[in-house]
Amino acid sequence: MGLAGRPVGLELDAGSIHFMGSDLRDVRVCEDAIRRMALHNACAWLEVSPAVLAGRCFDVVLFAPARWESKARVFELVDAAFGKLAIGGRLLLAGRRNAGVESYRSRLEAVFGSVETATSKSGFRVYRSSKDSSDPGAHPVNAARVFEVADLPGGPFTFEAAAGVFSSRGLDAGARILIEAVDVTADDRVLDLGCGYGAIGIAAAKRAREAQLLDTSLLAVRCARRNIVRNGLANARVGLSDGFEAVPGRVFDLILCNAPTHDGAATARRFVQGAARHLGSKGRFAVVAMRPGIYLKQMKRVFDTVDQMESRRGYTVLCARDAKSAIPAA
């Protein structure tokens, strides 16, 4: 089994190979690789944890956490992998020496009772642990947090955030600034693009006609869905989506985005062009970012009007409206 949804272990000569990831894009990469290599013994699962794959037991689990993955989320997946291994099964975990892999080693030792270095090369280490008992040596980690935010427009709000979802320790400063800077009216149909656990979309829904929340992460979508219920909203819903694909033909009055600037210019271009296609004639697209340059450049190509609404604490809020009649090619 390959954890984290990337095509790790395709070269294995195994009876069956399962890949699991919680991000829609990663799982699609796996599915494409499986089709391209004509692997009839492989499949990809979109799930938040191997623990939910009922009735399945694995001999080997390969886990290469993303460099930016939260430590608590890695620990949760190590715990879940232990539970899905057969006795005698092995977990191999790879990571960079300068990106937390030593803490992962400590968790492996705590859960499995022992760990050895399988490979150490070019700044990477691969650790291996074997399951010799049905009982883990450490209690499972549960890093989900529930916190209240009382001082937002429409508040107070209560949010649950799972480890591995952006800003799970509390409300992100950029999200707060965007919520405070943008006026939402009772007639607005709002879209929260890249919603995470839903703070921006839920705060907007309290003041709007309706709100649609979208994210590529199944973990984030499930958190946002619980938070919609937790905050008693009947006019908000959440969907799994890569960009705007889950809302074809839908038109919104306001699109909000806590911009993923680390994803680069390609994502900025896709988000800005998608927003222009999904806004009504008087619609607005508001983005908050610490490095707004790539969004500002794309907004000026696609919209006639781009304003800087707010700039504080290192964050900038940009608002675009009046989409050009011809959207420039990507």
Side-chain angles (χ1 to χ4, degrees):
M1 181 183 193
L3 273 179
R6 288 177 292 279
V8 177
L10 283 174
E11 75 286 354
L12 289 179
D13 181 15
S16 64
I17 306 170
H18 299 258
F19 300 96
M20 193 220 78
S22 59
D23 190 283
L24 181 62
R25 297 165 298 183
D26 290 340
V27 173
R28 286 176 174 171
V29 168
C30 286
E31 290 173 337
D32 288 344
I34 289 168
R35 283 193 294 268
R36 189 171 60 252
M37 299 177 70
L39 295 174
H40 302 295
N41 65 335
C43 61
W45 297 82
L46 179 67
E47 261 304 347
V48 300
S49 169
V52 304
L53 302 180
R56 298 186 180 274
C57 202
F58 300 95
D59 300 304
V60 179
V61 173
L62 307 178
F63 185 16
R67 188 170 186 174
W68 56 86
E69 188 65 270
S70 79
K71 183 165 66 174
R73 173 66 174 158
V74 173
F75 287 8
E76 286 181 338
L77 289 172
V78 166
D79 295 344
F82 179 92
K84 299 306 294 184
L85 279 169
I87 298 296
R90 305 175 307 284
L91 170 61
L92 286 88
L93 187 152
R96 293 179 179 271
R97 293 178 184 172
N98 62 352
V101 73
E102 289 305 313
S103 65
Y104 305 162
R105 183 191 187 284
S106 298
R107 186 63 188 174
L108 287 172
E109 188 167 23
V111 172
F112 286 84
S114 63
V115 61
E116 60 182 347
T117 303
T119 303
S120 181
K121 185 178 181 180
S122 302
F124 282 85
R125 287 183 178 167
V126 178
Y127 292 116
R128 178 171 55 224
S129 289
S130 297
K131 181 175 177 177
D132 299 322
S133 167
S134 59
D135 298 319
H139 293 296
V141 169
N142 182 0
R145 297 172 63 92
V146 176
F147 55 92
E148 183 171 301
V149 183
D151 57 344
L152 287 176
F157 299 96
T158 302
F159 299 114
E160 171 192 337
V165 176
F166 174 69
S167 192
S168 62
R169 293 182 176 274
L171 183 66
D172 171 62
R176 172 182 287 279
I177 291 167
L178 182 63
I179 292 166
E180 293 174 346
V182 178
D183 290 329
V184 180
T185 73
D187 291 327
D188 280 338
R189 295 160 297 178
V190 178
L191 172 65
D192 179 1
L193 183 62
C195 65
Y197 55 81
I200 293 171
I202 287 170
K206 273 290 186 80
R207 297 175 285 165
R209 182 199 307 183
E210 62 181 53
Q212 172 72 65
L213 289 67
L214 299 177
D215 206 287
T216 64
S217 165
L218 183 61
L219 190 63
V221 164
R222 289 183 177 173
C223 280
R225 189 168 290 137
R226 289 192 292 270
N227 285 330
I228 287 170
V229 174
R230 187 183 291 274
N231 288 279
L233 295 171
N235 66 334
R237 55 186 176 180
V238 60
L240 185 72
S241 183
D242 186 5
F244 294 87
E245 67 179 13
V247 288
R250 292 276 307 276
V251 174
F252 300 92
D253 303 297
L254 175 61
I255 298 175
L256 301 169
C257 181
N258 192 348
T261 51
H262 61 274
D263 283 355
T267 295
R269 182 166 53 249
R270 192 161 60 96
F271 279 14
V272 172
Q273 292 183 1
R277 294 186 178 100
H278 287 271
L279 283 173
S281 60
K282 297 182 180 180
R284 298 158 291 151
F285 176 41
V287 167
V288 64
M290 291 193 76
R291 295 180 294 277
I294 57 174
Y295 276 84
L296 180 62
K297 178 180 178 181
Q298 295 302 325
M299 285 171 149
K300 287 183 174 180
R301 293 181 71 226
V302 174
F303 291 90
D304 285 328
T305 305
V306 181
D307 298 315
Q308 180 176 308
M309 298 183 64
E310 186 83 42
S311 185
R312 57 186 164 102
R313 297 182 63 183
Y315 290 90
T316 298
V317 177
L318 302 173
C319 186
R321 60 185 187 278
D322 305 323
K324 298 178 188 292
S325 56
I327 298 174

